[in-house]
Amino acid sequence: MATQERLLDIDAVTELMRQPEYAYKRFYLMDGVIYEMSPVKRIHSRLANRISMFLGMYVEERDLGEVHGEIGCYAPGDRNTMLAPDVAFFSHARLSQQPEDEFFSVMPDLAVEVASPSNTVSQLRRKASIYLDNGSRVVWIVLPSQRGVDVCRSASGARLDIEFVGADGALSGEDALPGFELALSRLFPAPK
């Protein structure tokens, strides 16, 4: 649900967050419309945290960059769209010009969005397109209800190449994070 109707930019989000009543709220911005992010439920939190943990260990052991959760990031040429992926990997090359106390003016190498019941498939795919159109190499859309992940890559034209990986498959870091592999059984264990 949109919380504003007039076209906004990153400066408006920053100003909003400075107001005491919004200081602890989280937002993202798409095409000039600001959205407040709701608190997440247990499965969403668990999946995002586990992915962050597995990515973080791999990245730290090899000193490849940083893994973040819900960090505001935007493409330098588009100040009307700022996303906050549930999990994001940024290589050292992407981090080199990013200040510690501001939103990132670069999209992550790898973005992860965990679907919530309030998300539509078209919303999640729109976010994947924004990431990929602005420099991300791969996007994982985690689908808890399907016990799997849509792996999104750029395709010719403005299309997405989407591959569904089920609970018995594995995710690859592809060229965003070469050598990384995560068996989805570690995210979606067999029901007890």
Side-chain angles (χ1 to χ4, degrees), residues 142-160:
V142 181
L143 304 165
S145 64
Q146 296 178 36
R147 296 177 50 82
V149 176
D150 275 346
V151 177
C152 303
R153 303 171 194 89
S154 291
S156 60
R159 298 179 333 111
L160 287 177

Side-chain angles (χ1 to χ4, degrees), residues 122-148:
S122 63
Q123 286 172 328
L124 293 167
R125 289 183 177 171
R126 171 79 174 113
K127 286 182 179 183
S129 291
I130 291 169
Y131 290 122
L132 293 166
D133 289 347
N134 290 288
S136 292
R137 297 172 187 223
V138 65
V139 177
W140 297 341
I141 300 174
V142 181
L143 304 165
S145 64
Q146 296 178 36
R147 296 177 50 82

Side-chain angles (χ1 to χ4, degrees), residues 53-127:
M53 177 187 70
F54 291 125
L55 285 173
M57 288 187 306
Y58 186 85
V59 167
E60 185 174 321
E61 287 172 1
R62 291 157 183 81
D63 190 27
L64 300 173
E66 296 177 2
V67 174
H68 290 272
E70 299 181 350
I71 190 165
C73 52
Y74 64 96
D78 183 3
R79 294 184 57 81
N80 296 109
T81 298
M82 178 181 66
L83 301 179
D86 290 303
V87 182
F89 161 66
F90 294 87
S91 62
H92 284 302
R94 289 185 194 241
L95 291 169
S96 65
Q97 301 296 316
Q98 301 307 308
E100 290 284 330
D101 60 348
E102 293 181 24
F103 299 125
F104 280 11
S105 62
V106 64
M107 291 297 182
D109 295 87
L110 168 66
V112 181
E113 291 285 349
V114 179
S116 295
S118 62
N119 295 131
T120 65
V121 171
S122 63
Q123 286 172 328
L124 293 167
R125 289 183 177 171
R126 171 79 174 113
K127 286 182 179 183

